[in-house]
Amino acid sequence: MSSWESSRERNGRVKIVKYTPERRQDFVDLNVWWIEKYFGAVEQADRDEFDHVEDEIAKGGMVFFAVDEADGAALATCMAIDRGEGEWEIAKLGSAPDRPHKGYGKAVFEACVDWAEQHGAKRIYMLTNSSLSTAIHIYESHGFQRVFLEDYGGYARGDYALEKYV
């Protein structure tokens, strides 16, 4: 049983849960917040992921949320995407702006990595921006290493990629 399945609580009131259609807007809102804050605007590649989240889940991916048990609020989210042939992408790691640095982002990231590994990942990667030092620290602390790419998946803001072989 992985950490996310155990309903492990953080700070006594938060649990990690899988995506449900009722949480779709939480996924969008948590990500739009950080994208607009740090980069000014949501890109077409973001909109495509928001519009097709259920399609990615149907293909084996998953979105996780850290949820406050007291009020049901989504505190963080992250997505694991099956890219085929053992390749997995971790994307859309976002946390609520009113509760930063509480470990919720790390928890949903770990749930995504666990999911990918349990579903046959041979390589897990993510695309990000060099200004997002907190997220990069989380990735590197879990054994991900920087790689240099010419194409960052259609994101103008993408300038930093990491990967890990499982």
Side-chain angles (χ1 to χ4, degrees):
M1 181 180 297
S2 70
S3 60
W4 60 268
E5 289 176 317
S6 68
S7 294
R8 174 183 64 185
E9 295 181 28
R10 293 185 172 267
N11 300 329
R13 322 177 359 224
V14 175
K15 65 181 179 178
I16 305 303
V17 300
K18 292 186 209 177
Y19 179 90
T20 62
E22 296 79 25
R23 290 263 175 220
R24 184 178 190 285
Q25 195 60 49
D26 291 331
F27 176 69
V28 173
D29 291 346
L30 287 169
N31 280 290
V32 166
W33 175 84
W34 72 261
I35 293 167
E36 288 181 346
K37 176 183 177 174
Y38 292 104
F39 304 103
V42 173
E43 297 181 42
Q44 185 59 47
D46 298 308
R47 288 195 261 326
D48 291 344
E49 284 187 343
F50 298 149
D51 290 345
H52 299 287
V53 64
E54 283 92 359
D55 296 337
E56 295 300 340
I57 291 170
K59 292 189 277 184
M62 184 52 64
V63 175
F64 290 93
F65 297 90
V67 176
D68 186 319
E69 290 185 316
D71 62 9
L75 305 173
T77 189
C78 191
M79 182 178 194
I81 305 168
D82 183 354
R83 297 294 189 198
E85 299 181 23
E87 299 278 316
W88 283 76
E89 180 179 1
I90 305 296
K92 299 294 184 268
L93 171 60
S95 295
D98 58 337
R99 299 190 202 182
H101 310 297
K102 300 287 185 187
Y104 309 135
K106 181 180 175 184
V108 292
F109 170 75
E110 289 172 350
C112 284
V113 171
D114 287 349
W115 182 268
E117 289 177 353
Q118 292 170 9
H119 290 84
K122 296 175 185 166
R123 176 180 170 259
I124 305 171
Y125 69 93
M126 67 260 332
L127 308 172
T128 189
N129 183 277
S130 56
S131 69
L132 300 175
S133 58
T134 301
I136 290 170
H137 175 73
I138 291 171
Y139 306 147
E140 290 176 343
S141 73
H142 285 78
F144 287 82
Q145 297 182 338
R146 185 172 188 186
V147 293
F148 295 90
L149 305 175
E150 291 185 26
D151 175 19
Y152 286 86
Y155 290 99
R157 68 179 179 266
D159 70 354
Y160 203 100
L162 300 101
E163 70 179 7
K164 173 176 145 176
Y165 286 87
V166 180

